[in-house]
Amino acid sequence: MSDRSDPDEQEFSVSLSQLLTTQSFGKPLHFFPTIDSTNTYAVKLAHQGASEGTTIIADEQTGGKGRLGRTWVSPPGVNLYLSLILRPPVSTGIAPQINLLAAVAVAEAIVQVCGLTPAIKWPNDVLIDEKKVCGILAEMQTEAGALQSLVLGIGVNVNAPLAAFPPELRDKASSLFLIGGQMINRAAFTAALLTHLEKLYVLWIEKGFPALRPAWEHYASGLISKQITVAAPEGTIVGTVLGLDSDGALLLRDSSGTPRRILAGDVTVIGGYTRGEKP
Ligand code: BTN
């Protein structure tokens, strides 16, 4: 823990500790008024042997890291910037499934605390009304090819006003407050998120990805049969979404009719993306 002077920040970290009913997630909790990146700090702690469940939360990030080398806009006092240290007994090939797990946990927390209708855009963006409200960045620490730890970084735009977003992001990103019209208690949201994360993580370790798949598909149902472009490491692919493979890979039929398995990339939905209703 660090020194704090702002009562809002103090309220956030103190009520979070009081609200937490998890076994190990959020314990211990390191809270910072400001930090460069909670992920960078968590990676340092993981290398020093920090236990599974150790959580770093900051009120503000000055160098928030996004996927694909982007930055994550992290203004003070309004959002959630969280990194969780995990030590799953899985290989480096399986570990990226944590991204899909985390997206489901965020969606469940949004439904529970805000009553909104989130959608997941593969692999792990959480959108509401086609605007991104959450980003997830998982970083693996390995030794001789074996997974030592996994830092799961989650940024949720909770109460950010429109002015907190740079103009170029305002048609692509939003916050739970802007969409739902109500300020959300950050501590209550974070406690719900850590609870869902822990529950899904235990399920994943015990039963593997197939146990998470129905929930992921529920939140990502709007993507099925959509035309998308994927900026993948192997190049840009245009195709129609067929579904999710048993290991979490995205299945597509590309524009030449060939089935493709996509393991990583950035998806853009042609014609917009809204999740369908629960069947
Ligand atoms: C994305 O680009 O969609 C991923 C964004 C991940 C942001 C979170 S905020 C908490 C953690 N610390 C970071 O520096 N990044 C992640």
Side-chain angles (χ1 to χ4, degrees):
M1 311 280 154
S2 15
D3 290 342
R4 286 176 300 270
S5 48
D6 184 326
D8 278 351
E9 286 163 21
Q10 204 149 7
E11 154 105 27
F12 180 14
S13 60
V14 170
S15 15
L16 174 56
S17 306
Q18 288 167 352
L19 287 171
L20 270 183
T21 54
T22 46
Q23 283 288 314
S24 68
F25 283 20
K27 299 168 182 180
L29 178 66
H30 298 261
F31 188 91
F32 292 88
T34 186
I35 198 167
D36 52 353
S37 154
T38 55
N39 261 34
T40 303
Y41 188 78
V43 170
K44 237 179 269 170
L45 287 188
H47 283 305
Q48 290 166 10
S51 59
E52 177 161 275
T54 301
T55 298
I56 297 93
I57 294 180
D59 192 55
E60 172 188 37
Q61 295 185 120
T62 53
K65 296 192 289 184
R67 289 175 68 225
L68 310 167
R70 297 179 186 133
T71 55
W72 185 255
V73 177
S74 309
V78 283
N79 291 335
L80 173 62
Y81 317 114
L82 172 151
S83 298
L84 173 64
I85 296 174
L86 298 171
R87 298 191 180 275
V90 301
S91 67
T92 53
I94 296 293
Q97 292 174 0
I98 197 71
N99 286 293
L100 306 168
L101 182 162
V104 173
V106 171
E108 303 266 3
I110 291 173
V111 171
Q112 183 193 326
V113 178
C114 317
L116 297 169
T117 307
I120 297 176
K121 181 161 77 72
W122 188 89
N124 58 8
D125 285 348
V126 181
L127 281 65
I128 308 177
D129 295 346
E130 301 194 25
K131 296 200 173 170
K132 180 162 165 170
V133 294
C134 166
I136 293 164
L137 178 68
E139 299 186 73
M140 280 193 258
Q141 293 74 51
T142 58
E143 234 176 76
L147 184 72
Q148 298 299 312
S149 53
L150 194 56
V151 165
L152 175 62
I154 303 179
V156 183
N157 299 328
V158 181
N159 290 321
L162 196 60
F165 295 93
E168 67 277 12
L169 285 186
R170 287 181 194 166
D171 60 338
K172 296 193 191 93
S174 191
S175 71
L176 302 176
F177 160 68
L178 285 170
I179 293 167
Q182 281 177 22
M183 293 289 273
I184 304 298
N185 182 300
R186 284 189 293 168
F189 181 82
T190 309
L193 174 58
L194 286 165
T195 303
H196 286 289
L197 279 170
E198 189 173 79
K199 187 189 74 190
L200 293 169
Y201 182 74
V202 169
L203 198 64
W204 179 53
I205 297 303
E206 283 176 0
K207 303 216 156 88
F209 184 69
L212 307 178
R213 193 175 157 163
W216 193 91
E217 285 180 334
H218 164 62
Y219 288 110
S221 61
L223 209 55
I224 309 294
S225 303
K226 283 272 164 38
Q227 282 275 103
I228 62 168
T229 56
V230 192
E234 59 266 41
T236 299
I237 301 157
V238 180
T240 307
V241 178
L242 299 175
L244 200 65
D245 214 346
S246 55
D247 61 353
L250 187 68
L251 298 173
L252 286 188
R253 188 172 303 286
D254 73 14
S255 37
S256 67
T258 311
R260 305 278 293 252
R261 253 173 66 83
I262 313 292
L263 292 166
D266 217 21
V267 168
T268 306
V269 184
I270 300 167
Y273 175 35
T274 313
R275 174 163 70 90
E277 284 314 303
K278 211 171 184 165

